[in-house]
Amino acid sequence: MERAAGGVSYQRFPRVRIRELKDDYAKFELRDTDASMANALRRVMIAEVPTVAIDLVEIEVNSSVLNDEFIAHRLGLIPLTSAAAMAMRFSRDCDACDGDGSCEYCSVEFHLAARATDSDQTLEVTSNDLRSTDPKVCPVDQARAYQHALGGTEPFDTAAAADQRQHPLPCCPIMDIIAKKLGILIVKLRRGQELRLRAIARKGIGKDHAKWSPAATVTFMYEPEIRINEELMETLTLEEKRNLVESSPTKVFNIDPNTQQVVVEDAEAYTYDDEVIKKADAMGKPGLIEINAKEDSFIFTVETTGAITAYELIMNAITVLRQKLDAVRLQDDDADLGELGAHLVGG
Amino acid sequence: MNAPDRYERFVVPEGTKKVSYERDTKIVNAGSFTIEREDHTIGNILRMQLHRDPNVLFAGYKLPHPLQYKILVRVHTANQSTPTQAYTQAINDLDKELENLKQAFEDEKIRYEERPKQGY
């Protein structure tokens, strides 16, 4: 019955080229595969790569202006460092804690206690006030601040790190957060108001609730292939060429100042809007410019919330997709049943 | 109040099989696989991989209803193959492709970090 293993392989060998890789951002080219694979990876990155997020909140005291569930919701949306999430258990199938979802294998406890005392200023309660019981899991900007304090550089962003050394006070927002110790605002307290709570963070996926999604944006586009009919282009006056170049809403084409030829400046700026092609048709020069999408070549941009790095997100997505494929394999008894069924019906 | 639990979307209920195969009653070498708690992510890559197999005469999938968390993959093959055989082969090939992709990413990351930084 092991016929299936003898089949010929129709496997593909995709190629990858990384263009840019930062902590929470990646841009890469994926070639020699099809849109279904690119889209599966995108979908898995958004909805099925696990992270850790606050899921259960027990409020002890809340005299703030926001109600309990409002605060619980805001806590859930704070990105927590989730490098360990792949190895964690989902609390629903954790057998160490009888399903109450509060053991070290499937959850992390947080505490928050803040009270605005006699000062006249409002007290801003932020993610920096959350105290984690597990140093591996904490709000993302706390981890950044900690890393920064240690003088650690960002793992993959060597260019930015070098840049940081030259300019000790960079002006990007994340650095502002660290410098001013801002964190993510949860609630503001007036004099005398208090917030005290216990929260449990659990592993989850974006399909369950978007707070577990590690992806800020994941997009891919087909690589455009632009061909200019040079012979036909020569019949255009400089004015006409300018009009043609201007007709594209994004800056795809330009005119070479020396040769006065129309050249492709940035093929990837093309948004598949067909405007230049329509313009060429309107000028009575159909076929002047031809643009095709390469069906096996994709340009991905991946941005994460900071819960995991962009590289981790990609790698985890591949792992998760393989696990999913493994789960949909026919079990041995299925295969036998299929064959048996064949005999029954055929005989 | 009566909203179904969110996890029902991706947790296979107890006593239900993840994948089941049903032969077509009229056509030989045809049948459909019912995959519980899966969606376009798996459906579409499986379909496209099955299309690469020349023995597969037809492969298609559908998500019958957005609130029924299952997909149907229908396969019809030539006499040299069977739907179960083609299905297993497609999964094996996809798995190998992803294994290969993972390695490609790891290699490319090393290459990327060694690449001299272009100033801009």
Side-chain angles (χ1 to χ4, degrees):
Chain A
M1 302 243 172
E2 263 307 305
R3 273 206 328 237
V8 214
S9 176
Y10 305 106
Q11 191 203 338
R12 277 175 305 220
F13 296 91
R15 286 181 297 133
V16 176
R17 202 183 85 88
I18 297 173
R19 285 200 189 158
E20 212 179 335
L21 188 61
K22 288 187 195 155
D23 235 15
D24 54 6
Y25 178 84
K27 194 172 185 126
F28 62 93
E29 295 159 12
L30 179 68
R31 292 174 199 283
D32 299 342
T33 189
D34 71 355
S36 70
M37 184 52 81
N39 197 40
L41 282 172
R42 183 191 65 86
R43 286 175 64 100
V44 168
M45 283 193 238
I46 292 169
E48 298 191 58
V49 171
T51 64
V52 182
I54 290 175
D55 193 32
L56 190 87
V57 181
E58 269 174 34
I59 296 192
E60 286 165 39
V61 183
N62 174 21
S63 52
S64 77
V65 292
L66 300 184
N67 59 48
D68 294 0
E69 30 284 90
F70 201 123
I71 289 172
H73 180 240
R74 289 182 69 77
L75 288 168
L77 294 173
I78 295 169
L80 306 176
T81 50
S82 306
M86 283 294 276
M88 268 174 84
R89 292 180 191 166
F90 285 108
S91 57
R92 63 168 176 276
D93 40 45
C94 173
D95 28 58
C97 56
D98 306 329
D100 71 345
S102 53
C103 72
E104 54 179 320
Y105 301 110
C106 67
S107 63
V108 179
E109 202 174 299
F110 283 84
H111 291 271
L112 188 149
R115 190 192 167 89
T117 42
D118 43 11
S119 84
D120 279 336
Q121 275 203 316
T122 52
L123 178 72
E124 296 191 346
V125 181
T126 68
S127 58
N128 283 328
D129 295 304
L130 278 170
R131 291 284 153 259
S132 170
T133 53
D134 182 347
K136 287 201 295 294
V137 179
C138 65
V140 163
D141 40 15
Q142 260 182 38
R144 290 260 186 131
Y146 182 67
Q147 226 175 29
H148 192 71
L150 285 180
T153 53
E154 314 225 330
F156 309 120
D157 195 7
T158 42
D163 201 52
Q164 243 174 58
R165 262 174 254 124
Q166 282 161 16
H167 316 279
L169 274 176
C171 50
C172 57
I174 192 77
M175 287 304 158
D176 280 347
I177 290 171
I178 292 160
K180 295 177 191 159
K181 295 219 183 300
L182 281 177
I184 299 167
L185 185 63
I186 298 164
V187 66
K188 290 184 181 179
L189 298 181
R190 190 178 184 243
R191 191 199 313 147
Q193 292 177 340
E194 188 180 6
L195 181 64
R196 208 162 67 224
L197 56 87
R198 190 176 81 100
I200 288 173
R202 288 181 180 144
K203 175 181 174 175
I205 58 172
K207 228 182 193 181
D208 191 345
H209 189 289
K211 69 183 174 186
W212 276 299
S213 177
T217 52
V218 183
T219 62
F220 69 83
M221 69 177 279
Y222 288 108
E223 186 172 89
E225 194 174 35
I226 303 178
R227 274 198 306 275
I228 299 173
N229 186 334
E230 298 292 353
E231 213 172 290
L232 206 53
M233 191 63 86
E234 282 311 302
T235 64
L236 263 60
T237 64
L238 185 59
E239 186 58 30
E240 282 175 314
K241 285 180 185 172
R242 279 211 191 94
N243 284 336
L244 187 76
V245 168
E246 290 302 312
S247 71
S248 175
T250 50
K251 198 137 187 63
V252 180
F253 300 96
N254 207 348
I255 293 172
D256 190 304
N258 302 318
T259 61
Q260 301 195 335
Q261 274 180 316
V262 175
V263 289
V264 178
E265 185 166 274
D266 182 8
E268 279 161 37
Y270 186 58
T271 55
Y272 293 96
D273 46 52
D274 271 0
E275 289 295 331
V276 265
I277 293 158
K278 280 183 209 152
K279 181 73 181 176
D281 288 351
M283 290 162 91
K285 311 269 180 189
L288 179 61
I289 288 172
E290 255 182 70
I291 306 177
N292 289 309
K294 281 189 181 173
E295 303 250 316
D296 65 345
S297 198
F298 310 93
I299 299 151
F300 267 82
T301 31
V302 175
E303 280 179 71
T304 75
T305 58
I308 52 176
T309 63
Y311 181 72
E312 280 174 319
L313 177 56
I314 298 161
M315 295 309 269
N316 292 353
I318 297 172
T319 310
V320 169
L321 191 53
R322 287 186 71 189
Q323 284 166 357
K324 280 171 73 77
L325 279 168
D326 207 47
V328 301
R329 272 178 203 281
L330 284 170
Q331 298 306 309
D332 283 338
D333 53 319
D334 291 326
D336 287 350
L337 242 154
E339 299 290 324
L340 194 71
H343 289 304
L344 286 176
V345 176
Chain B
M1 295 300 185
N2 58 358
D5 287 317
R6 285 194 314 243
Y7 65 77
E8 280 187 21
R9 237 183 289 180
F10 48 86
V11 178
V12 182
E14 257 177 79
T16 314
K17 273 177 121 183
K18 180 83 180 172
V19 191
S20 53
Y21 174 60
E22 201 182 328
R23 279 169 49 87
D24 192 287
T25 50
K26 293 196 179 81
I27 309 164
V28 282
N29 287 325
S32 53
F33 299 88
T34 306
I35 309 175
E36 283 293 334
R37 313 291 125 145
E38 288 298 343
D39 57 15
H40 302 283
T41 309
I42 288 295
N44 200 28
I45 47 170
L46 264 181
R47 176 181 74 108
M48 294 312 283
Q49 188 64 40
L50 284 163
H51 285 171
R52 291 175 63 79
D53 186 340
N55 286 323
V56 171
L57 304 176
F58 175 86
Y61 84 98
K62 69 174 173 183
L63 188 85
H65 191 278
L67 293 176
Q68 281 174 12
Y69 307 114
K70 63 175 184 190
I71 53 167
L72 300 175
V73 180
R74 194 177 151 76
V75 186
H76 181 186
T77 65
N79 285 329
Q80 295 93 314
S81 184
T82 62
T84 41
Q85 205 178 333
Y87 179 87
T88 308
Q89 184 62 40
I91 291 176
N92 286 340
D93 288 341
L94 284 169
D95 190 62
K96 276 187 276 174
E97 176 174 344
L98 284 165
E99 186 182 7
N100 192 71
L101 181 62
K102 188 168 196 168
Q103 190 59 49
F105 253 110
E106 282 165 0
D107 296 347
E108 174 61 12
K109 187 179 163 250
I110 295 166
R111 222 172 304 140
Y112 174 79
E113 280 160 2
E114 284 171 356
R115 214 179 290 163
K117 284 280 166 190
Q118 280 120 35
Y120 60 93

